[in-house]
Amino acid sequence: MENIKNLIAVASGKGGVGKSTVAANLAMALAKEGFATGLVDTDIYGPSIPTLFGCENVQPEMDGEKMIPLQKFGVKMLSIGLFVNEDQPLVWRGPMAANAMMQLFNDALWGELDYLVIDMPPGTGDIALTLVQNLPITGALIVTTPQQLAVTDVRRAVNMFRQKEIKVPILGLVENMSWFTPEELPNNKYYIFGKNGGEKFAKDNNIPLLGQIPMVQAVGDSNDQGTPVASLQNHPVSLAFDELAKALVQAVDLRNTVLPPTQTVRIDPNAKGCSH
Ligand SMILES: Nc1ncnc2c1ncn2[C@@H]1O[C@H](COP(=O)(O)OP(=O)(O)OP(=O)(O)O)[C@@H](O)[C@H]1O
Ligand SMILES: [Mg+2]
């Protein structure tokens, strides 16, 4: 892990807002910028990166006990979804799932990376907590959609990262599905989920708004085809992800210059008393 310069957690309090879409396209955009980039899918119960990357049936090779990440779109990738049957529900209890998730980091040959983008599961459950407590996360990128309901759930995720035992810096917010644009009317914007909910949340919570991604059919279609929109040249949403990647790199640089390096918070499993 010491060969990985920056660990970026893509998170949200709410399901279905586009974490996996943002994580995959962001990783691809960072790779296009020339950064050595990895993408790890920690959504143990609902892994979607293998589908997004069109790698559902490809099992990673092993080097002894270590997994070798797959490579596609210039990005190294690992997901629990590569090791389990798609139709088989994962019925692991929390600790088992958390162990499997940690193996994706500790038992894998990631090599030297500038960025390892982490696609997190929705919410603030076991997996999310294990992740933030055991890994030296550089910072979190929070994903929301503009509706008030999504924004309310996102506040929970922000508060988790900001807890004093966790203290992972929030690098910024990205608003996904900011407006709907029909393919045939590319200049039209329909604010079907309300306008600027993300911008207002960012301002109220002192978080930089790093990007707004429109809702367009091509994003869903290209996800389903295993070729995320960032692989298309000059598509407006692909360009929006390029901008997001640039804004994220700036936010990371700023964080690395103004704050001391992240320290991993470890909770001593043998501690008996209550400590602060
Ligand atoms: N900007 C967009 N335009 C159109 N469709 C989108 C956009 N972003 C995401 N989607 C679609 O919305 C659905 C949910 O996206 P995604 O799986 O990335 O969300 P998620 O937050 O990772 O969900 P989960 O909480 O289940 O992990 C997917 O079908 C995806 O293709
Ligand atoms: Mg997801």
Side-chain angles (χ1 to χ4, degrees), residues 137-179:
I137 311 268
T138 310
L141 176 66
I142 307 290
V143 186
T144 189
T145 48
Q147 310 95 310
Q148 198 49 49
L149 265 180
V151 165
T152 306
D153 281 351
V154 162
R155 188 166 291 120
R156 263 184 231 123
V158 167
N159 289 340
M160 175 186 77
F161 287 113
R162 285 183 169 167
Q163 265 178 51
K164 76 172 183 328
E165 302 81 10
I166 290 170
K167 277 226 164 98
V168 168
I170 310 279
L171 296 166
L173 184 83
V174 54
E175 187 189 64
N176 188 28
M177 310 193 205
S178 296
W179 57 82

Side-chain angles (χ1 to χ4, degrees), residues 56-84:
E56 295 104 317
N57 302 313
V58 190
Q59 269 225 353
E61 292 182 353
M62 303 294 288
D63 181 350
E65 301 267 280
K66 303 274 185 187
M67 295 171 264
I68 304 174
L70 299 182
Q71 294 198 45
K72 195 165 181 185
F73 308 121
V75 174
K76 291 186 181 178
M77 184 273 278
L78 271 182
S79 163
I80 199 79
L82 300 169
F83 299 94
V84 295

Side-chain angles (χ1 to χ4, degrees), residues 19-20 43 46 48 119-120 122:
K19 290 174 295 300
S20 301
D43 195 342
S48 43
D119 179 18
M120 287 187 56

